[in-house]
Amino acid sequence: MKAIVNNKIVNLHAKPDTTSELIDEVLYGMVVDVLEFCDESWVRIQTTYRYEGYCLKEKLLIDEEKSLKWQEEAKNVIIQNFSDILAGPKIQSTKIATLVKGSFVTIVEDSELDQEWAKVKLASGEVGYTRSYWVRQTISERVSEEEFRENVVQTALSYLTTPYRWGGKSPLGIDCSGLCSMAYMLNGVLIYRDAKIVEGFPIKQIEFDQIQKGDLLYFPGHIAMYMGDGLYVHSSLGGNEVSINSLNENHPHYRKDLATSITAVGSLFAKELVH
C-alpha cells in the first residue's frame, strides 16, 4: 500500500513510539510504501531510498490510487529553504501551507500568471501559489559529470549553518547523511541514507587519490562531501551545524580527528573498487 507524506516534515522513528530514536524525516509530497499497520496510530513505512521506520498514520494520505497518480504527476520540488503556498498570486494572500526544501508539488499550467508566481497543486488536491523561482522540475536527464559535481556541491552548501539534528533532513535541522543524501536527491540521484556505502546504491568506493568535487568522504559514523582543494562540507555533531572543514593540516579549519580517520571515499562516477 502506498501513501503520500501529508505534513511538512514527518518524523521516522526506530520504534512505534514518539520517544524512540529519530532515524529519518520524510518531507511533504514524498511517496512511501506502507509495510505494516502496527496499531490505530502507527505504521511501518519504506521510503523510495529503501529506508524503513515507523511514523504516525495521521501524517500520511494512505491511498494507493492517489499515491500512484501523485507519484506520476508530482515532478516539481521546492528548492527554497521555506516556501509559503498562498491562496492567490500575491504576497498578501492567505497562507495555505509552508513547505521546506525537498518537498514535492505539481505545477499547474496557467498562461495568465506572470513569471513571478507558479500555480501549484498539493497532494490534497488544493491549489495555491508560490514564487516561481522557489520551485523547479525534478531532474530526469543526467547533466554532464562536471556540471553534476558542481551542482551537488552548491546544493550541499545551500544548507550552510543549518543546525545539526540527529535524523534531520531539512533546513530546520539536518544530520551528516541527511545533508549528503538531500544534496544528491535534489540533483536527481537517490543514495543511501546512512554514513556507509551499500550495495545496490549508485555510490561506489574509489581510491582516495581519485577523489573529486562532489564525491563522499566516509568516517566512522560520519559522512561529508568533498568540495575540492582539500575542503569538505558536512553536518557535524561536534560543530553543531553544517560547516566547512579541511583535510589540510595547515588550513585554519583543519580537523585532525576526521582527516586521520577516513575509512572510504565514494563516487557516483566510478566502478566499484576491486580489492
Side-chain angles (χ1 to χ4, degrees), residues 26-127:
V26 282
L27 308 179
Y28 184 89
M30 291 182 171
V31 174
V32 299
D33 287 302
V34 178
L35 303 178
E36 178 187 0
F37 291 88
C38 304
D39 54 32
E40 292 184 358
S41 300
W42 290 88
V43 291
R44 183 167 64 92
I45 68 169
Q46 183 182 66
T47 67
T48 54
Y49 42 93
R50 305 207 304 271
Y51 215 72
E52 295 184 16
Y54 298 87
C55 74
L56 290 168
K57 185 168 60 176
E58 65 183 19
K59 306 293 186 180
L60 305 176
L61 175 58
I62 302 175
D63 186 302
E64 181 81 8
E65 185 177 348
K66 288 182 179 179
S67 297
L68 289 171
K69 185 178 180 182
W70 179 255
Q71 196 168 37
E72 182 65 28
E73 291 180 350
K75 301 299 184 183
N76 304 95
V77 64
I78 299 296
I79 58 172
Q80 176 72 3
N81 280 349
F82 305 96
S83 176
D84 284 340
I85 309 300
L86 304 175
K90 58 181 181 178
I91 201 68
Q92 298 89 349
S93 300
T94 302
K95 183 179 70 176
I96 297 172
T98 299
L99 304 182
V100 299
K101 185 187 297 185
S103 302
F104 287 87
V105 296
T106 299
I107 288 185
V108 180
E109 296 296 335
D110 192 333
S111 59
E112 295 181 1
L113 291 179
D114 59 31
Q115 293 183 352
E116 184 179 0
W117 294 94
K119 187 177 182 180
V120 300
K121 184 171 71 172
L122 302 178
S124 63
E126 197 168 9
V127 172

Side-chain angles (χ1 to χ4, degrees), residues 199-268:
E199 187 176 351
F201 286 86
I203 300 298
K204 306 298 181 184
Q205 188 172 351
I206 61 172
E207 298 285 2
F208 180 80
D209 60 8
Q210 296 176 315
I211 194 169
Q212 296 184 55
K213 178 184 295 189
D215 289 338
L216 300 175
L217 290 161
Y218 293 86
F219 313 87
H222 189 55
I223 183 174
M225 181 179 294
Y226 188 68
M227 297 170 52
D229 297 323
L231 299 174
Y232 57 92
V233 57
H234 62 144
S235 184
S236 168
L237 178 60
N240 294 317
E241 64 180 17
V242 177
S243 57
I244 296 172
N245 285 103
S246 176
L247 300 173
N248 184 347
E249 62 182 357
N250 296 315
H251 194 281
H253 296 300
Y254 174 69
R255 277 191 56 173
K256 182 178 180 180
D257 61 324
L258 293 177
T260 58
S261 61
I262 297 171
T263 59
V265 177
S267 179
L268 180 67

Side-chain angles (χ1 to χ4, degrees), residues 102-193:
S103 302
F104 287 87
V105 296
T106 299
I107 288 185
V108 180
E109 296 296 335
D110 192 333
S111 59
E112 295 181 1
L113 291 179
D114 59 31
Q115 293 183 352
E116 184 179 0
W117 294 94
K119 187 177 182 180
V120 300
K121 184 171 71 172
L122 302 178
S124 63
E126 197 168 9
V127 172
Y129 300 83
T130 192
R131 303 285 190 181
S132 58
Y133 46 87
W134 289 354
V135 59
R136 75 167 184 220
Q137 187 171 359
T138 53
I139 299 170
S140 57
E141 295 184 5
R142 182 69 60 82
V143 296
S144 69
E145 177 179 337
E146 182 180 6
E147 188 174 357
F148 180 90
R149 288 182 180 278
E150 180 62 30
N151 289 347
V152 77
V153 167
Q154 291 305 316
T155 303
L157 289 174
S158 73
Y159 288 89
L160 272 178
T161 72
T162 298
Y164 182 91
R165 174 186 287 174
W166 184 272
K169 205 167 66 182
S170 84
L172 286 172
I174 199 164
D175 66 11
C176 61
S177 58
L179 174 68
C180 294
S181 63
M182 284 302 297
Y184 271 80
M185 189 207 81
L186 288 166
N187 286 282
V189 177
L190 296 179
I191 67 172
Y192 191 61
R193 170 68 169 90

